[in-house]
Amino acid sequence: MIHIGICDDEAPMRRNLRIPLEQKLQLLGKTYRIFEYDSGEALLTRPEAEGLDILFLDIEMKTLSGMDTARALREKDNRTLLIFVTAYPDYVFEGYEVHAFHYILKPYEGHKIQKVLEQALTELGACREQAFTIEQKSGALRIPLKKILVFSSDRRKLVLTLTDGQKMEFYGKLSDVESGLPDYFVRCHNRHLVNLNHVTAVEKDGLSCGPLTLPVSRAFRHPLEIAFARLMLR
C-alpha cells in the first residue's frame, strides 16, 4: 500500500493533481491511498502524515508556507519523498534545504505529473528494498539503509548508528562495508562513512547528520562536497 499526500490550499489544484496520479497508479496496478490537506497546519496535525511515502506540497499557501511545512516535517526525522509544486521556478532552489525529491511547475501537465510519480515510486522501491545485514549469533539482522546515519570504525569493530539513536557493533573493516553500499554512503573521515540522505549541512571541518556532528577531514572534503551537491541536484 502506497500512501500519498496532496497539500494545497486550493481545492481545484488538489483535484488537478489527484486525477493523473490515480490514473497512473491504477494503470500500474498499485494499491494506494491519497490523503488531501488544505493547509500545512492541517497536514502537520494529522497522524497519518508521518507515514506518507510521497507528498505533493504546494510552496505558496496562505498561512504556513510549503517550505515551513517541509521544515517541520524534517524536524520529526520524516523521510517522506517531497515533491514541491509551485508557479515560480525560483522557489525550486530552496528545496535543497529539506531534501526535496523533485518539483512540478503550475499549471499542471498530466504527463509530467505521472513521470515524476514514476520516478518517486522507483526511488521508494529502492529505499524499501535496500538493507544492510549484520550476522549475529541469533541469526542475520537486516537493517534498512534509510535508517542508518553512519558507520564508524573503532579499532577492529564497526559501530552502526541508526536514526533513532540506537547503536550496533560488529566486527569488520570500513572499506569492506563501503564497497557494498550505494553511492550515497560517502566517507567524510577515515573513521566515518556517512549516509548523505541524512546530511543537512557540510561545513569546513564538520557536517550535520541527523542529531550527530561528525568531523570532515581534508582528504575527504572535496569528494564529499561533490557527492552532496549531486544528491541535492538529483
Side-chain angles (χ1 to χ4, degrees):
M1 175 76 73
I2 298 165
H3 294 84
I4 297 175
I6 299 174
C7 184
D8 193 310
D9 56 6
E10 297 182 40
M13 291 298 178
R14 296 198 300 272
R15 184 174 61 254
N16 290 344
L17 264 174
R18 183 174 190 129
I19 291 172
L21 291 176
E22 290 189 325
Q23 289 173 341
K24 190 64 177 181
L25 290 164
Q26 291 167 10
L27 186 64
L28 294 172
K30 302 290 185 181
T31 56
Y32 65 90
R33 287 191 67 185
I34 295 180
F35 302 88
E36 293 189 19
Y37 310 94
D38 60 8
S39 68
E41 292 90 339
L43 169 69
L44 294 173
T45 57
R46 294 285 290 275
E48 80 279 352
E50 292 194 35
L52 293 174
D53 297 304
I54 303 169
L55 174 62
F56 291 83
L57 181 59
D58 185 25
I59 292 182
E60 308 93 29
M61 292 188 286
K62 293 182 179 66
T63 51
L64 190 66
S65 73
M67 278 301 302
D68 287 337
T69 302
R71 292 187 187 102
L73 285 173
R74 291 304 190 226
E75 286 175 1
K76 299 178 181 180
D77 194 34
N78 180 282
R79 305 309 301 173
T80 297
L81 291 181
L82 285 178
I83 299 171
F84 280 123
V85 295
T86 177
Y88 305 99
D90 290 347
Y91 281 115
V92 170
F93 297 100
E94 295 185 36
Y96 300 150
E97 177 189 342
V98 290
H99 289 198
F101 176 73
H102 218 299
Y103 68 93
I104 297 173
L105 290 176
K106 298 178 181 180
Y108 300 134
E109 295 183 38
H111 71 281
K112 289 186 178 180
I113 294 170
Q114 293 177 345
K115 183 178 180 180
V116 171
L117 173 64
E118 281 192 275
Q119 293 172 347
L121 291 173
T122 299
E123 178 74 8
L124 188 63
C127 290
R128 283 177 168 175
E129 292 169 2
Q130 291 179 311
F132 182 78
T133 302
I134 296 177
E135 297 293 339
Q136 298 181 322
K137 292 182 180 179
S138 57
L141 177 64
R142 282 175 55 82
I143 303 167
L145 294 185
K146 65 180 182 179
K147 293 186 177 181
I148 299 173
L149 291 177
V150 62
F151 293 89
S152 301
S153 63
D154 184 10
R155 298 179 184 179
R156 295 176 56 200
K157 289 184 178 180
L158 294 179
V159 180
L160 184 157
T161 304
L162 302 180
T163 53
D164 62 2
Q166 185 179 2
K167 294 181 183 291
M168 299 180 180
E169 292 186 353
F170 59 100
Y171 289 99
K173 295 181 179 179
L174 203 57
S175 56
D176 292 339
V177 170
E178 183 177 16
S179 64
L181 292 173
D183 59 6
Y184 55 80
F185 278 91
V186 176
R187 292 273 192 129
C188 63
H189 188 275
N190 275 332
R191 296 181 55 241
H192 300 292
L193 180 63
V194 66
N195 185 344
L196 287 180
N197 288 309
H198 294 287
V199 173
T200 54
V202 177
E203 307 294 342
K204 181 179 179 181
D205 299 316
L207 60 80
S208 299
C209 181
L212 305 176
T213 299
L214 300 171
V216 174
S217 63
R218 181 179 300 176
F220 294 104
R221 184 185 307 132
H222 186 58
L224 170 70
E225 289 174 343
I226 292 175
F228 185 61
R230 283 177 178 167
L231 185 69
M232 294 299 96
L233 293 170
R234 188 176 59 184

